[in-house]
Amino acid sequence: MSSTVQPAQDVAKGQGKTKVILYWLEKSRAQRILWLLEELKIDYELKTYKRVNMVAPPELKKIHPLGKSPLLSVQAEGAPEPLVLAESGLIAEYLIEHFGPSLAPSQYQNGKEGQVQGETEEWLRYRYFMHYAEGSLMPFLVIALILRTIREKSPFFIKPIANAITGNIESMFLKPNLENNFNFLESQVKSAPDGGGYLCGSKLTGADILLSYPLSAARGRAGLSKEKYPALFEYVTRLEAMEGNKRAIQKIIDIEGSYDPSL
């Protein structure tokens, strides 16, 4: 495990000095939270962990019973105990609400505050994609990882059988579902409101940050190509080039020696 402290400005109003710790695991979705912290420019401490036989090390169970990553602890000034948050969506929503509301679109249209169906398109997209990243897209990428691992780790004498089984699952189930999701995202990028640029409009939101990791991984190994999905491919390229994202990646390179976004 490695640890470093990132000096930055604490911007939470009325929170005093807040201690934030991100527990980052290699080749995990925690990279998105690291980018979010960089984007919000708040003080945080970064603790990094290596996988053991492809899974998170047991030390993370001391932080949260499930021992997964990302984990984030937040301790406000004067609070007796830190608040430990798990799950990327919850962590992102909590940080944005307290430290960076500009990363969430306005919820209501002017004059329709509190009304049913008074929400803005930008906000509805934002809330949808905050859940979509983990609920719809990520499971298929995890399946892709499992199938790839089966092929790579199978003993040579059963590789033909393993390849046949995984190949059938990929062609009959995985590939159609990935293509369906990529086509959907391609259309969403093209139809984003206010001139687009990002999924929810013309400005970066927390939803873009949560989608950045699975889409970067998909571009490498799951068939997200420039030829088939030009708008989506360009969108992912734009996310990867953002300064906050590059700072987050460089921080891992400085600590770990390299950064691999693939699943």
Side-chain angles (χ1 to χ4, degrees), residues 51-104:
R51 291 183 179 273
V52 179
N53 295 324
M54 296 183 64
V55 300
E59 291 90 336
L60 281 175
K61 285 193 174 182
K62 298 176 183 178
I63 313 301
H64 187 278
L66 291 180
K68 302 296 184 181
S69 178
L71 295 173
L72 190 87
S73 70
V74 179
Q75 188 167 11
E77 187 174 28
E81 298 288 340
L83 171 67
V84 176
L85 300 172
E87 296 296 340
S88 298
L90 172 60
I91 293 171
E93 287 181 343
Y94 191 91
L95 287 173
I96 290 169
E97 180 176 342
H98 287 285
F99 298 95
S102 63
L103 286 176

Side-chain angles (χ1 to χ4, degrees), residues 10 13 37 40 47 49 53 56 67 82 84 96 107 122 134-135 137 163-164 178 182 223 225-226 231-232 245 252 257:
D10 189 308
K13 295 182 179 179
L37 289 168
L40 296 175
K47 296 186 177 182
Y49 296 80
N53 295 324
V84 176
I96 290 169
Q107 182 171 355
E122 292 87 345
E134 292 296 302
L137 179 59
N163 289 341
L178 285 172
F182 295 156
S225 67
K226 184 176 182 179
L232 183 58
N245 192 18
I252 294 305

